[in-house]
Amino acid sequence: MNAAAAPPDNLSFCADLVRSHDFPRYAATLFAPAAERRALLALYAFNVEIVRVRDQVSQPLPGEIRFQWWTDLLSGVVHGSAEGNPVAAELLRAIHDFDLPVEPLSLLVDEHQFDLYNDPMPTLTALEGYLAATSSALFVLAARIMTQPSEAVEHIARHAGLAQGIVQIITTLPRDAAHRQMFVPQQLLADHDCDIEDVFVGKDTPNLRAVLEQLAGEARQHLATALSLLAEVPPAARAAFLPLAQVRADLALLSQPGRNPFTPRQSSRLRTLWTLWRASRSREFTK
């Protein structure tokens, strides 16, 4: 594909997609230079497309077919014109312009096949593996767009992705439970004598709150580690980790005493912008 031939409205399509479905990541791209912002939007739009598959199909097979299309695209096998898919065209452009590795993108697609089925997440270790291949991988790739890869960046990205992913799981519990989908590890539910059927029917119990508090504690530890290591990487790389400011804010809200875990939380886009703007000017992310 000729990257320079991508029509200009592909960028707008990706920006609109990310803004609509993943506003915190969209807001974080506003603080990146133009070329890097375009690549970040392509990466995040690709992620939105993959994550949305489970909500767009009623059976696993159509979802598997959609995932296979992306796997084939990333391996160089294109069914039809990639240029006809704005997200695919922009992603290929970002891969070309920033020498992004294809393997983690393919692994991200593979890992999200779990989403198509109602198998519960078995253990905390399994959850960490899932998040490392999805949330953490996005941080690694975003950082590679912003600066040269390094072991330090990958170390921070792992913890950043685990923190962000766990917070997302706690946040989306009402929706997931309604679909009888369980990302909260069965291991933790069993440790706290929490009946999975109680979760599926939206029953707020002390046992479930204990489970979620343990998960939140895991997220706090990973977040603290990631933030403490930011000073070890170049400022340009730190820009890729701006979404951690929103993770910190979300974690504080989710940890409020008496919060009903089945009450969907409506996030304010203005508050998100304010949170990330403040972080972008703080010594934590710039010095």
Side-chain angles (χ1 to χ4, degrees):
M1 168 189 164
N2 180 0
D9 61 347
N10 285 352
L11 172 58
S12 297
F13 182 94
C14 290
D16 290 342
L17 187 66
V18 181
R19 182 169 54 243
S20 298
H21 297 279
D22 191 353
F23 189 77
R25 284 196 178 98
Y26 169 80
T29 69
L30 298 177
F31 303 95
E36 286 80 0
R37 179 172 186 255
R38 181 169 192 166
L40 289 171
L41 286 170
L43 174 65
Y44 297 153
F46 161 73
N47 182 62
V48 168
E49 289 283 73
I50 299 304
V51 170
R52 285 201 309 162
V53 167
R54 72 164 176 153
D55 294 326
Q56 295 174 327
V57 298
S58 57
Q59 297 293 330
L61 182 57
E64 295 273 10
I65 293 172
R66 294 191 186 196
F67 284 156
Q68 188 61 51
W69 188 91
W70 284 103
T71 299
D72 290 347
L73 175 82
L74 292 167
S75 66
V77 179
V78 181
H79 302 292
S81 174
E83 289 87 346
N85 182 313
V87 177
E90 285 295 293
L91 181 64
L92 292 177
R93 177 189 179 114
I95 291 170
H96 174 272
D97 290 353
F98 291 91
D99 194 26
L100 297 181
V102 170
E103 183 179 5
L105 294 167
S106 296
L107 289 175
L108 184 148
V109 176
D110 290 343
E111 201 67 33
H112 275 295
Q113 292 193 35
F114 176 87
D115 306 0
L116 301 177
Y117 301 88
N118 286 337
D119 299 330
M121 186 67 68
T123 64
L124 185 59
T125 299
L127 175 61
E128 290 177 346
Y130 172 89
L131 295 178
T134 54
S135 297
S136 296
L138 286 176
F139 276 113
V140 171
L141 291 164
R144 183 160 183 149
I145 289 170
M146 300 303 297
T147 190
Q148 293 296 315
S150 70
E151 290 186 9
V153 167
E154 292 195 9
H155 187 198
I156 295 175
R158 176 174 175 81
H159 289 288
L162 292 177
Q164 185 184 59
I166 290 172
V167 167
Q168 184 68 16
I169 285 168
I170 298 173
T171 300
T172 60
L173 178 64
R175 186 196 70 177
D176 294 336
H179 290 88
R180 297 185 66 82
Q181 190 160 37
M182 185 56 61
F183 287 89
V184 176
Q186 276 187 307
Q187 167 197 351
L188 298 189
L189 296 174
D191 288 347
H192 292 278
D193 296 320
C194 183
D195 189 337
I196 193 171
E197 289 299 326
D198 286 345
V199 181
F200 286 151
V201 299
K203 188 175 182 180
D204 180 12
T205 65
N207 307 66
L208 176 60
R209 292 194 181 201
V211 171
L212 297 181
E213 178 52 37
Q214 182 174 343
L215 267 183
E218 294 283 339
R220 289 188 203 99
Q221 290 181 15
H222 289 298
L223 178 62
T225 300
L227 292 175
S228 70
L229 295 173
L230 275 179
E232 298 182 9
V233 299
R238 291 176 220 166
F241 295 97
L242 265 181
L244 287 179
Q246 186 60 44
V247 172
R248 179 166 50 194
D250 289 343
L251 192 53
L253 291 174
L254 293 172
S255 302
Q256 289 178 340
R259 188 190 74 89
N260 186 330
F262 294 102
T263 300
R265 188 178 64 81
Q266 299 296 325
S267 57
S268 163
R269 291 188 171 189
L270 183 59
R271 184 179 295 276
T272 295
L273 284 169
W274 173 247
T275 298
L276 295 182
W277 179 81
R278 290 184 62 187
S280 73
R281 298 172 64 85
S282 70
R283 294 180 61 85
E284 189 173 37
F285 287 92
T286 60
K287 301 295 182 183

